[in-house]
Amino acid sequence: MAGERVQPATLSRSEAALVASEGKAPRTERGRKTLRAILDAAAIEFGEKGFHEGSISGITRRAGVALGSFYTYFDSKDAVFRALVRDMSDQVRDHVAPAIRAAPDQIAAERAGLSEFIAFVRGHKEIYRIIDEAEFVDPESFRLHYATTADRIAARLKAGAARGEIRADISDVHAWAIMGMNVFLGLRYGVWQDDVSPEAVADSIAEMLARGIGTK
Amino acid sequence: MAGERVQPATLSRSEAALVASEGKAPRTERGRKTLRAILDAAAIEFGEKGFHEGSISGITRRAGVALGSFYTYFDSKDAVFRALVRDMSDQVRDHVAPAIRAAPDQIAAERAGLSEFIAFVRGHKEIYRIIDEAEFVDPESFRLHYATTADRIAARLKAGAARGEIRADISDVHAWAIMGMNVFLGLRYGVWQDDVSPEAVADSIAEMLARGIGTK
């Protein structure tokens, strides 16, 4: 799962300030690497065991850091879980963003976003279990993840409408619909089975969207 | 939540045989009513408290039945939870089925199904929490719920294609996409907020689908 990551991330200074507990943001590059290692270990720990069975000592063991280092950045198991949900939400956004930006038009952007999302999920299967468990462990993070994702989709669809690439009657309803499609297509073709390529799934959906909400 | 139900259900003989623990299906109409009362009480208990905090005694108290009656039909808390997921999945299917069958064509059927689903969710907000918690408590039921729902959608889309109402290139990818849309539109416009009517949400989506996968 997390061990399959092809692009080990490091946190920028501003990201590290946001995910660590209040007043505990790392101030050095080394500190940011330790924080990144703790978050990656937490993804494996909670992904495999779930929140209730997962433990801080399991996280520090997997990360290869001392227990004290954990408390340098986080106040509690709840705090690292909350940070992890935020971090995974940001990782998905950052992973799909370049492909979306590089696309020649908004339908192509939706196609690229879905294809990249399914590919990302195949390498990070724990993401579903963690975000879904947030509904129970940390409902505010769960709600925030989906509300901000839907807002982001709505904003890019409306920008596409302003450029004449998307129908003018586009609304938040379409943004929630596209988010829902993407989540379930990621579950089916990313986590559960890989019998259809991410590109083929995205092609089918992009054709439907081109006719359904496109203007060409 | 469950108290807002407008159509209190009773179980048919075959349904009651399927949800009760093995060898424990009720044989009388009175027994089926008791089983129904236990399932409705379990929906409230697990919907409010979650699986881990919910208890058999909480269920029997809410249902107004003796503890012995619970064990007449179920072996354990796990068993009643599993039965509840199955029951809620069946309730959704049975609630939306008449509107889908009555629709004049397949796009109208998808519109009616979504509208009825959002309306149903508004009166049964606990359904999301229970089915989502199944991912952790009873992963097999979780998977079965979505796999059978997607299969049902795929079957009706393919029947629509055979009648010439849906494009011939319809596939399971579209079925999973439509299920995902419906789940997230139900969450946003059924559970979280009711600022847009179920009919208006369904109209937007039906217009998109008519152009996207329809033939007219």
Side-chain angles (χ1 to χ4, degrees), chain A residues 132-133 135 167 181 211-212, chain B residues 132 135 167 181 211-212:
Chain A
D132 291 351
E133 194 165 19
E135 183 176 358
R167 291 170 60 98
M181 283 187 215
R211 293 186 297 264
Chain B
D132 292 350
E135 182 176 358
R167 290 170 60 98
M181 281 187 219
R211 292 186 297 264

Side-chain angles (χ1 to χ4, degrees), chain A residues 2-146:
Chain A
E4 296 165 31
R5 274 180 193 165
V6 279
Q7 300 173 309
T10 49
L11 292 169
S12 72
R13 192 180 295 199
S14 61
E15 286 165 345
L18 286 166
V19 296
S21 289
E22 203 181 335
K24 294 193 168 182
R27 292 168 193 193
T28 65
E29 186 53 33
R30 192 176 159 194
R32 286 190 285 277
K33 280 188 183 162
T34 303
L35 179 54
R36 178 74 263 160
I38 291 171
L39 288 169
D40 287 344
I44 304 174
E45 177 77 1
F46 292 133
E48 282 183 9
K49 297 189 167 179
F51 178 78
H52 295 289
E53 297 296 316
S55 66
I56 292 174
S57 61
I59 293 169
T60 54
R61 197 165 49 242
R62 290 175 194 272
V65 303
L67 198 60
S69 292
F70 178 89
Y71 287 104
T72 303
Y73 303 111
F74 297 106
D75 294 335
S76 63
K77 189 167 89 164
D78 284 81
V80 72
F81 185 84
R82 193 177 318 119
L84 180 62
V85 173
R86 167 79 188 244
D87 177 62
M88 298 206 114
S89 187
D90 291 350
Q91 277 196 54
V92 171
R93 180 198 61 200
D94 295 346
H95 183 84
V96 303
I100 289 177
R101 272 197 302 271
D105 62 56
Q106 198 53 45
I107 295 297
E110 298 308 319
R111 186 206 164 284
L114 175 55
S115 180
E116 288 295 324
F117 174 66
I118 296 172
F120 182 80
V121 162
R122 286 189 178 182
H124 300 75
K125 293 185 177 176
E126 74 283 0
I127 199 167
Y128 274 79
R129 181 168 178 153
I130 290 163
I131 290 179
D132 291 351
E133 194 165 19
E135 183 176 358
F136 305 98
V137 172
D138 184 10
E140 202 185 322
S141 293
F142 177 78
R143 209 174 157 117
L144 189 68
H145 167 67
Y146 286 120

Side-chain angles (χ1 to χ4, degrees), chain B residues 10 37 42 44 49 52 54 58-60 82 85 89 92 106 109 113 115 120 127 134-135 143-144 158 168-169 191:
Chain B
T10 50
I44 303 174
K49 298 190 167 180
H52 295 289
I59 293 169
T60 54
R82 193 178 317 118
V85 173
S89 187
V92 170
Q106 198 53 44
S115 180
F120 182 80
I127 198 168
E135 182 176 358
R143 209 175 159 115
L144 189 68
K158 285 168 191 171
D169 61 357
V191 179

